Amino acid sequence: MTREDSLAPEHVEPLLTGRFGHPYVYEASCESTQELLGVDLPEGALALCDEQTHGRGRLGHSWTAPPGTAILCSLLLRPPEDRIVSELSLVAGTAVAEAIEEAVGLAVQVKWPNDVMLNRRKVAGILAEAADGRIVVGMGVNVSQERNDLPEDTNVPAASLYTSDGIKRERGALLAAILERLEVNYDAWLERGLDGVYDSLGSRDFLRGRRIAVNGESGVGVKIDRDGRFVVDVGGEQRAVESGEIAYER
């Protein structure tokens, strides 16, 4: 990790032009950024580190990365209590996909419910958790890992931006772009629900048209619907899945 690629506040805070990322809570190493945000912090507070020792993914999966190679952060949000927490995984995933796509110049997709895909490989994951009247959205983005730094025993094959195009990028600039896009998408979601981001989300739907298996049944992916569910065609019958893990044919 070069000094220029540091995520320390003095390097990143000057890049943050919106309301997200303030206050900026930084630790060089922590167990999980999901645990760094106190209950009294305002909406937009951001916690991040250069190394997570017990990073968490969805459904109890772990998230690991060598120090200084990934964006590992958590954002505190306080939407109205009647909003659906799981939709924020899609809102954040769309923002991450948009920022990565602008950075790499390649098509980036969203795999329901919380993965970001580049060249059919996972480059980022989202974890939205509700607690104490707030929602903490964790984001992990693989930026500069080498191929042998990436996990191999995963349901979805992993990649980093570097293994995708061979270019090393500064994490601070990408983080600022993600927060900028997420602020726009979050505000659109507050105003109109998933309809506010659906044009971008629907066009990035990785599982659409793929042979998939969900909850032990095989079918064809139809779409992410406007309620954040995934619609599957099973033997000609369309079913909306609200939660679970979907396996797909590669």
Side-chain angles (χ1 to χ4, degrees):
M1 178 179 64
T2 65
R3 187 174 184 275
E4 292 75 16
D5 190 39
S6 170
L7 292 180
E10 61 268 24
H11 296 291
V12 180
E13 285 188 299
L15 304 176
L16 305 180
T17 58
R19 69 183 191 276
F20 284 1
H22 311 286
Y24 188 93
V25 181
Y26 171 78
E27 298 283 350
S29 178
C30 70
E31 287 195 359
S32 169
T33 58
Q34 295 288 92
E35 312 300 334
L36 292 181
L37 294 171
V39 296
D40 296 327
L41 289 177
E43 180 169 85
L46 183 76
L48 70 166
C49 67
D50 278 309
E51 179 186 29
Q52 280 188 148
T53 56
H54 292 87
R56 302 198 313 274
R58 187 170 167 271
L59 300 177
H61 297 163
S62 63
W63 184 282
T64 60
T69 63
I71 293 172
L72 307 168
C73 65
S74 297
L75 180 71
L76 190 152
L77 299 174
R78 297 185 182 276
E81 292 182 2
D82 61 346
R83 304 308 289 267
I84 301 172
V85 176
S86 59
E87 291 182 0
L88 275 173
S89 291
L90 296 171
V91 172
T94 302
V96 171
E98 291 168 349
I100 292 176
E101 186 167 289
E102 184 174 349
V104 304
L106 298 170
V108 182
Q109 296 173 291
V110 175
K111 175 185 171 291
W112 186 91
N114 69 325
D115 292 339
V116 178
M117 309 290 287
L118 174 59
N119 292 338
R120 294 185 294 178
R121 290 179 173 270
K122 178 177 177 176
V123 293
I126 314 296
L127 179 64
E129 296 181 313
D132 303 313
R134 66 203 175 118
I135 296 175
V136 178
V137 179
M139 295 172 280
V141 184
N142 293 334
V143 180
S144 57
Q145 291 100 317
E146 306 277 350
R147 196 167 301 280
N148 59 4
D149 293 329
L150 297 165
E152 296 182 356
D153 56 340
T154 56
N155 294 330
V156 181
S160 69
L161 305 194
Y162 177 70
T163 61
S164 299
D165 65 5
I167 297 174
K168 292 280 188 178
R169 293 177 172 83
E170 292 186 8
R171 293 173 298 151
L174 180 59
L175 172 62
I178 289 171
L179 293 178
E180 180 180 344
R181 289 306 314 161
L182 182 48
E183 186 174 325
V184 171
N185 286 6
Y186 177 67
D187 288 345
W189 175 75
L190 286 178
E191 182 178 347
R192 298 193 289 136
L194 278 186
D195 280 347
V197 299
Y198 194 80
D199 285 351
S200 181
L201 172 63
S203 67
R204 299 176 188 279
D205 190 344
F206 177 80
L207 292 174
R208 182 185 300 217
R210 292 184 184 272
R211 295 291 307 177
I212 64 175
V214 57
N215 299 329
E217 292 187 303
S218 297
V220 176
V222 178
K223 64 180 179 180
I224 300 170
D225 72 13
R226 292 175 185 267
D227 294 317
R229 304 170 302 181
F230 192 74
V231 180
V232 184
D233 186 303
V234 179
E237 177 188 350
Q238 292 196 357
R239 303 178 185 176
V241 180
E242 296 188 358
S243 64
E245 189 151 16
I246 292 180
Y248 63 95
E249 293 183 4
R250 300 175 189 175

